[in-house]
Amino acid sequence: MPPTSKQDYYELLGVPRRAPLKEIRQSYRKLARKFHPDLNPGDKSAEEKFKQIQEAYDVLSDPKKRQMYDQFGFYSENYAGGPPPGTASPEESHFDFGGFDFGGAGGASFRDIFSQFMRGVGAERQATQPQRGSDLEYQVDITFGEAVRGVVKKLSFARLDTCSDCRGSGAVGSGSAQPCPACGGHGQISKGVGSMRFNVPCSRCGGSGRLRNICRACGGEGRVRRADALDVRLPAGVQTGSRVRVPGRGEAGLMGGPPGDLYIISNVQPHLFFDRRGDDLYCAVPITVTEAAMGAKIEVPTIDGRALLRIPPGTDSGQKFRLREKGVPSARTPGRRGDLYVEVQVVVPRPVDERVRDLLRKLSEFSQEDPRGGLFDRAAL
């Protein structure tokens, strides 16, 4: 909240500047009872005094607010805790200094100096500190077979690379080593308003203390966009959404900072026969009524070729059989493989002629089993 009085908060509460919180609280309670509007009906001066005491206690009872008040002599909600370094600018930050008269010699104002201070902090941080380059992502489409067996893909992409003319510094020539004449190479200059003085970052060099000749090839950024190409091996077992990290092939860093990484994201095309769920595979294989009733040994397809599957007598349609380690190799655990689950589907013969009908009639005469026996008892509510 903006201040309503220029009087010192410590004087308002009658405590020394180094008073502990307990002493501040005791003094506040005593004064609050004395000047409370309910105990002083119609007394405007007591009501105003109570507001000032409340305001002072609100600031001095909070460690962060008190720290700002002790440092600057005021507290404002618009600057509570301060903006993160390098993220605020005069256009982004709005500070309320209403109620204070910081006008000084030379026409300088506290608002002007404070805005210059915030502008310089961001410039100094950006100009002097190395920054890591951004990571890049590249999506690659692969077939089901390439995902199962692994594949090497050749990628072509554009990225910000270190400028070869200035070697990433953003400056060229001997001028890059010259100290700034405005601040004498210190990166800061002193400015004052009345009796208050501030050290603010130099606006000419951005707080770095040095002047440099901007590299024309990169415009002073130290990076240029170039086409890049590389071969990337995708291990066996990758699936849609899998990420393969290539260290150091992302965007180049700033001011000598390390480069980012390149992440290859796989997009696996579906297969017409196999359904993948994790490292396991699922498929459906048709069998005849005779094979289901009598049992049989049949060949089923796998990603390694053909495999023999034993069908026991009396197999129902939809029954699943597991072939161990016939699934996809694990990309996370080398040497481990998933399983293949085969669902058999019994194909009922169509009575296309009279001979088939006669055989089916004879089969029904010999088979006395009722497949729906007890069905309605189980379905009863």
Side-chain angles (χ1 to χ4, degrees):
M1 60 183 176
T4 59
S5 172
K6 301 177 185 179
Q7 188 171 350
D8 185 82
Y9 286 161
Y10 292 99
E11 293 180 1
L12 277 170
L13 296 180
V15 295
R17 300 191 69 84
R18 295 188 178 182
L21 180 58
K22 182 179 180 180
E23 184 178 349
I24 293 175
R25 185 181 296 114
Q26 291 175 347
S27 179
Y28 162 73
R29 290 175 178 174
K30 180 180 178 181
L31 293 172
R33 285 194 298 267
K34 179 179 179 181
F35 294 100
H36 199 282
D38 292 344
L39 301 179
N40 300 272
D43 190 342
K44 295 296 183 180
S45 61
E47 182 180 351
E48 182 65 23
K49 189 72 172 180
F50 179 79
K51 291 180 180 179
Q52 295 174 359
I53 293 170
Q54 184 69 39
E55 178 185 303
Y57 178 73
D58 179 65
V59 172
L60 299 185
S61 62
D62 187 295
K64 292 184 178 179
K65 295 180 180 180
R66 184 179 181 182
Q67 181 181 5
M68 179 182 175
Y69 181 80
D70 290 343
Q71 184 175 359
F72 295 105
F74 73 96
Y75 173 76
S76 174
E77 291 287 355
N78 293 322
Y79 186 45
T87 62
S89 67
E91 293 77 10
E92 297 169 347
S93 302
H94 303 280
F95 304 99
D96 181 13
F97 299 103
F100 289 91
D101 182 13
F102 285 114
S109 69
F110 183 82
R111 184 187 302 274
D112 296 335
I113 293 181
F114 191 81
S115 297
Q116 184 178 357
F117 174 79
M118 293 308 302
R119 186 188 305 113
V121 167
E124 179 183 13
R125 183 179 180 87
Q126 183 176 8
T128 60
Q129 291 193 4
Q131 299 180 32
R132 181 181 181 274
S134 302
D135 294 332
L136 293 179
E137 291 185 350
Y138 188 99
Q139 180 173 301
V140 58
D141 296 328
I142 58 176
T143 65
F144 181 85
E146 291 173 336
V148 168
R149 298 183 180 89
V151 66
V152 176
K153 284 288 186 179
K154 187 175 186 63
L155 309 181
S156 298
F157 58 98
R159 71 187 187 97
L160 289 174
D161 198 6
T162 302
C163 177
S164 57
D165 289 11
C166 64
R167 298 181 180 179
S169 67
V172 293
S174 60
S176 59
Q178 295 296 320
C180 174
C183 62
H186 299 292
Q188 292 185 334
I189 57 177
S190 179
K191 287 197 174 184
V193 178
S195 60
M196 301 178 65
R197 301 202 66 81
F198 295 89
N199 285 329
V200 299
C202 176
S203 59
R204 183 171 181 181
C205 64
S208 65
R210 315 187 78 80
L211 293 179
R212 56 182 193 161
N213 295 325
I214 300 298
C215 174
R216 295 184 178 181
C218 62
E221 186 179 356
R223 305 181 301 180
V224 292
R225 186 166 296 278
R226 292 195 180 103
D228 199 356
L230 75 158
D231 294 332
V232 177
R233 176 176 294 278
L234 301 178
V238 296
Q239 51 188 318
T240 296
S242 295
R243 293 160 60 93
V244 175
R245 174 174 168 264
V246 184
R249 297 306 288 266
E251 307 278 30
L254 291 171
M255 299 300 296
D261 299 329
L262 173 65
Y263 288 90
I264 311 299
I265 303 177
S266 303
N267 181 39
V268 183
Q269 300 173 2
H271 196 269
L272 295 176
F273 182 76
F274 294 108
D275 179 24
R276 181 175 178 178
R277 304 174 193 174
D279 292 333
D280 296 329
L281 294 177
Y282 291 78
C283 67
V285 175
I287 60 174
T288 65
V289 172
T290 305
E291 291 171 336
M294 304 291 293
K297 292 182 178 179
I298 64 172
E299 287 185 334
V300 296
T302 71
I303 59 176
D304 301 318
R306 301 187 179 191
L308 198 64
L309 175 64
R310 179 180 176 274
I311 306 296
T315 296
D316 295 326
S317 184
Q319 191 169 340
K320 292 184 177 65
F321 300 91
R322 182 172 69 172
L323 297 179
R324 297 181 181 274
E325 296 187 349
K326 290 296 183 180
V328 179
S330 174
R332 296 184 177 181
T333 309
R336 182 186 176 278
R337 289 188 63 170
D339 301 326
L340 171 63
Y341 291 87
V342 180
E343 177 183 336
V344 294
Q345 297 177 342
V346 179
V347 179
V348 179
R350 297 181 180 180
V352 292
D353 55 35
E354 193 61 32
R355 290 179 301 173
V356 175
R357 294 190 183 94
D358 290 340
L359 289 174
L360 292 176
R361 292 191 190 100
K362 291 179 181 180
L363 178 62
S364 62
E365 292 174 0
F366 286 108
S367 178
Q368 301 298 321
E369 182 181 359
D370 184 5
R372 294 178 296 281
L375 176 65
F376 292 96
D377 294 336
R378 296 194 302 272
L381 299 178

